[in-house]
Amino acid sequence: MAQVRPMRADARRNRERLLAAAVEAFAAQGEGASLDDIAKRAGVGAGTLYRHFPTRRALLEAVYSDRIEAIAERAGELAERLPAGAALVAWLNELGLGMIQMRGLRALLSSSVGGGEEAGRGAGGASSDCCDPLRQAVARLVGDAQGAGELRRDVGAMDVLRLVHGVAMACGEAVGGESVGDAGDAGDAEGAEDVGERLRRYVGLLMEGLRARG
Amino acid sequence: MAQVRPMRADARRNRERLLAAAVEAFAAQGEGASLDDIAKRAGVGAGTLYRHFPTRRALLEAVYSDRIEAIAERAGELAERLPAGAALVAWLNELGLGMIQMRGLRALLSSSVGGGEEAGRGAGGASSDCCDPLRQAVARLVGDAQGAGELRRDVGAMDVLRLVHGVAMACGEAVGGESVGDAGDAGDAEGAEDVGERLRRYVGLLMEGLRARG
DNA sequence: ACCTGAACACCGTTCAAGT
DNA sequence: ACCTGAACACCGTTCAAGT
């Protein structure tokens, strides 16, 4: 699977620069950042970007695959330290937080989980993609939790993944502000809730619905 | 609030044509449909489109405000016919279905509810927008359900709106296909589930979590 | 083998000129 | 008062020419 032939030195360096520029650009501008700009900031021609990363999605994957694998590995650690149900909740919170903090990651999972079409998968639709580790992780945690009688058996791992993805999208950006003088139509303490807090709250509510009832 | 002066006949006709073209375009191409194309299909110059609808969001609102109001009004009907909890569930299902069927509507609610930034609100951020009827509708249904002891009191109307919005996004397009040979990692009967079915299932799970516990 | 940058097609947005 | 369409800036993508 690894490179058949080592890359030429300049090619390798250009790839590195492109990735560095892309990380910054995606973080600042979001997953729709201008590819031309990324190439410029990396100091290479536009063609070079396309040679290394033929699609925007390929670039996104290259940028985020490390983080994705890191999150997936957390599943194992949490599974050892916590009871099955708690491990699942904790992991879902970490995943959701990752999606909120890294818009590119959210876009990737979006197109990989069937949630929307930002950064589409391309017509080919090769099912195997960089989010497979996440799928495996959630499958394990969900299986454990069901085995321990802490999770309903009529939901699948993909359901859980999709729901948390949706909930994370629903939490919104780290924009802060929430439309100022809102004629109190939202009943409760809405005021200055942190996005992270809100995520935890929503994941909690969701899990309440997914919990197996005695 | 209505037009101060009646529009000139040609202006009115152009507006009509633009709206008709936009309805088709948003339905076919999604909320990102080319504005230039819409103007062309309507048989008017690009400038005319901008005169009538200065932003993409303005056009989206003009296209969907009728449907939005129709959905909002359904809340009243359902509230009369059903017990509070059931009315809320039924309405959320209708809203979710609307968002799945009309991508433009989803985009509108998205930027209005703080969920994402597709079709952004513009820097002004005028809090009043076309989704207000939805907010009022959900506020009423949520209030009723809480009053009847059928819904937790620690969630606000906006929470419910955001969560259903997220869940609807999580259900995905009416694309049908779900990536073909998926090495059964998703536990359950995933096979040929309709998007509408899935939405109902997800809304049901969510409500299970939001229900007031005796 | 890889890179460059000009070239092309496309889109959003503005605005001078028309009626 | 409203419309038109050319003009501009910007972006993604390709490809002939370079090293």
Side-chain angles (χ1 to χ4, degrees):
Chain A
M1 269 301 187
Q3 303 291 344
V4 182
R5 281 248 261 135
M7 271 195 290
R8 230 168 63 176
D10 55 346
R12 173 133 204 88
R13 196 181 48 226
N14 281 340
R15 211 190 114 95
E16 246 30 270
R17 284 191 194 169
L18 278 166
L19 277 178
V23 169
E24 273 188 60
F26 287 143
Q29 263 95 252
E31 69 270 11
S34 156
L35 297 181
D36 210 63
D37 223 57
I38 292 175
K40 243 165 217 143
R41 275 171 209 276
V44 306
T48 304
L49 189 154
Y50 282 89
R51 162 168 287 268
H52 285 288
F53 310 102
T55 66
R56 166 175 252 112
R57 188 182 166 83
L59 183 55
L60 278 169
E61 290 193 2
V63 165
Y64 289 109
S65 63
D66 284 358
R67 316 252 198 161
I68 288 176
E69 271 159 43
I71 293 177
E73 275 166 29
R74 280 289 291 163
E77 303 172 23
L78 291 167
E80 285 177 19
R81 285 198 185 81
L82 297 171
L88 178 58
V89 176
W91 189 76
L92 291 178
N93 272 309
E94 292 190 13
L95 174 62
L97 211 59
M99 290 197 297
I100 286 174
Q101 288 165 347
M102 298 174 279
R103 296 157 75 176
L105 201 160
R106 204 177 59 191
L108 270 179
L109 192 53
S110 217
S111 63
S112 160
V113 105
E117 75 287 3
E118 354 171 16
R121 244 208 271 219
S127 169
S128 133
D129 64 68
C130 66
C131 294
D132 282 340
L134 294 182
R135 271 192 274 272
Q136 289 174 22
V138 76
R140 178 205 168 149
L141 293 172
V142 163
D144 287 359
Q146 285 172 333
E150 301 188 63
L151 194 77
R152 320 168 50 124
R153 292 188 167 275
D154 61 350
V155 297
M158 284 305 282
D159 290 325
V160 175
L161 199 54
R162 265 192 288 260
L163 283 166
V164 167
H165 174 250
V167 164
M169 312 260 315
C171 285
E173 250 52 35
V175 260
E178 189 71 25
S179 75
V180 201
D182 223 338
D185 50 273
D188 258 299
E190 180 86 3
E193 191 180 25
D194 183 79
V195 195
E197 288 175 54
R198 187 182 289 165
L199 176 73
R200 290 191 86 84
R201 204 157 61 85
Y202 286 176
V203 170
L205 289 170
L206 181 64
M207 286 303 295
E208 196 66 35
L210 298 181
R211 195 145 282 150
R213 310 259 165 243
Chain B
M1 265 302 185
Q3 305 289 344
V4 181
R5 280 249 262 138
M7 269 195 291
R8 230 169 61 178
D10 55 344
R12 172 131 205 89
R13 197 180 47 226
N14 281 339
R15 212 190 114 94
E16 243 35 87
R17 283 191 194 169
L18 279 166
L19 277 177
V23 169
E24 273 189 58
F26 288 143
Q29 263 96 251
E31 69 270 13
S34 158
L35 297 182
D36 210 62
D37 225 55
I38 291 175
K40 243 166 218 142
R41 276 172 207 276
V44 306
T48 303
L49 190 153
Y50 281 90
R51 162 169 285 268
H52 286 287
F53 311 102
T55 66
R56 163 174 255 113
R57 186 181 169 84
L59 184 54
L60 279 168
E61 290 192 1
V63 166
Y64 289 109
S65 63
D66 284 358
R67 316 253 198 161
I68 288 176
E69 270 159 44
I71 294 176
E73 275 166 29
R74 281 289 291 161
E77 305 172 23
L78 291 167
E80 286 177 18
R81 285 197 186 79
L82 297 170
L88 178 59
V89 177
W91 189 76
L92 292 178
N93 272 309
E94 292 189 14
L95 174 63
L97 211 58
M99 290 197 297
I100 287 175
Q101 288 166 348
M102 298 174 277
R103 296 157 76 178
L105 201 160
R106 204 178 60 193
L108 269 179
L109 192 52
S110 217
S111 62
S112 159
V113 103
E117 74 287 2
E118 353 171 17
R121 243 207 272 219
S127 169
S128 133
D129 64 69
C130 67
C131 294
D132 282 341
L134 294 182
R135 271 192 275 271
Q136 287 173 22
V138 76
R140 178 205 169 149
L141 293 172
V142 162
D144 287 358
Q146 285 172 333
E150 301 188 62
L151 194 78
R152 321 169 49 125
R153 293 189 167 275
D154 60 350
V155 298
M158 284 305 284
D159 290 325
V160 175
L161 199 55
R162 264 193 289 260
L163 283 166
V164 167
H165 175 251
V167 164
M169 312 259 317
C171 285
E173 250 51 36
V175 260
E178 190 70 23
S179 77
V180 202
D182 223 338
D185 49 272
D188 258 299
E190 181 86 4
E193 192 180 25
D194 183 80
V195 195
E197 288 175 53
R198 188 183 288 165
L199 176 73
R200 290 192 86 82
R201 204 157 60 84
Y202 286 176
V203 169
L205 289 169
L206 182 63
M207 286 302 297
E208 195 66 35
L210 297 182
R211 195 145 280 150
R213 309 261 166 243

